[in-house]
Amino acid sequence: KQEVTQIPAALSVPEGENLVLNCSFTDSAIYNLQWFRQDPGKGLTSLLLIQSSQREQTSGRLNASLDKSSGRSTLYIAASQPGDSATYLCAVKGAQKLVFGQGTRLTINP
Amino acid sequence: NAGVTQTPKFRVLKTGQSMTLLCAQDMNHEYMYWYRQDPGMGLRLIHYSVGEGTTAKGEVPDGYNVSRLKKQNFLLGLESAAPSQTSVYFCAGGASGRLDTQYFGPGTRLTVL
């Protein structure tokens, strides 16, 4: 059974810092790994999708990496802004389903 | 193009009452999913559908039933609500390919007293 773990559960940093969120998974037989953002009281929005054959994906200030052999992914956020405050969820995709981690609640302090 | 919508947004039930949550999508997704989100637990899959007329159990299906009579709609039913079903429920649509993500609705906050 696939299990996804995110560390830390919460993170608070001052504006402007670069930061890294971590995700680990137990079964390397995945189609892809995805990072989502969730704002309070809202649904999830897809940020980045890394195919199982890829090592990283970039979108603006966000960079996600994937090391399938070790079962790890990181989400790097450069030059953080208060608007980046949200919960970030990692999910791995099998044949039909996504399995989610518990999320990291990120607070960027002005 | 509304994407994925959910009805209602909020609901309070008494133990033993029944209700149906409606998910509708206009993105022609073949696959649809129902999740529940509880503090510290992430999203857990309740049931899903791989096409019109099909349903399958997810990780936490007990106490819930689903139907997918039309491709664009996916209904989640609680026949006899319990306090343990207090949660935020999310519907999503998507496809099965390696490049495919899921598109989420805004959620339904359900409280069972």
Side-chain angles (χ1 to χ4, degrees):
Chain A
K1 177 186 171 186
Q2 179 73 268
E3 293 183 1
V4 180
T5 303
Q6 291 185 245
I7 295 173
L11 181 64
S12 180
V13 300
E15 180 178 4
E17 281 201 2
N18 303 324
L19 57 99
V20 174
L21 307 181
N22 297 294
C23 172
S24 62
F25 50 96
T26 55
D27 185 351
S28 62
I30 63 172
Y31 277 15
N32 63 50
L33 183 141
Q34 303 180 36
W35 284 92
F36 290 86
R37 169 181 173 139
Q38 184 177 28
D39 293 292
K42 306 288 187 182
L44 280 69
T45 302
S46 179
L47 295 172
L48 289 165
L49 184 154
I50 312 175
Q51 294 180 62
S52 61
S53 59
Q54 296 179 319
R55 299 282 293 180
E56 65 178 340
Q57 278 286 345
T58 298
S59 176
R61 294 182 294 107
L62 305 180
N63 176 277
S65 68
L66 173 64
D67 184 342
K68 202 171 69 164
S69 61
S70 67
R72 296 181 186 276
S73 175
T74 62
L75 178 66
Y76 175 82
I77 302 177
S80 58
Q81 303 170 359
D84 295 329
S85 297
T87 296
Y88 291 81
L89 293 107
C90 162
V92 295
K93 183 172 184 182
Q96 294 177 336
K97 297 173 283 187
L98 285 174
V99 178
F100 284 85
Q102 302 94 324
T104 294
R105 188 172 68 253
L106 177 64
T107 303
I108 307 298
N109 301 303
Chain B
N1 189 343
V4 179
T5 59
Q6 294 183 231
T7 308
K9 289 184 169 52
F10 303 93
R11 185 73 185 266
V12 178
L13 290 178
K14 294 181 179 178
T15 297
Q17 288 184 320
S18 64
M19 77 164 294
T20 300
L21 282 66
L22 171 64
C23 177
Q25 54 104 355
D26 60 4
M27 303 174 76
N28 203 34
H29 293 308
E30 202 64 38
Y31 285 44
M32 295 187 76
Y33 307 83
W34 276 108
Y35 296 90
R36 61 177 289 172
Q37 187 176 35
D38 303 291
M41 301 289 289
L43 272 78
R44 292 182 292 168
L45 183 64
I46 304 171
H47 286 282
Y48 64 102
S49 168
V50 301
E52 181 178 318
T54 74
T55 62
K57 293 181 180 179
E59 182 185 358
V60 288
D62 293 342
Y64 304 95
N65 56 76
V66 288
S67 65
R68 183 116 182 256
L69 299 180
K70 295 182 179 181
K71 184 177 183 179
Q72 63 267 35
N73 294 334
F74 194 29
L75 278 62
L76 178 70
L78 287 72
E79 291 186 347
S80 179
S84 61
Q85 294 177 304
T86 293
S87 188
V88 181
Y89 292 85
F90 288 99
C91 175
S96 64
R98 294 178 180 272
L99 298 180
D100 292 313
T101 186
Q102 293 181 11
Y103 298 87
F104 283 78
T108 295
R109 184 173 295 275
L110 175 66
T111 301
V112 183
L113 303 176

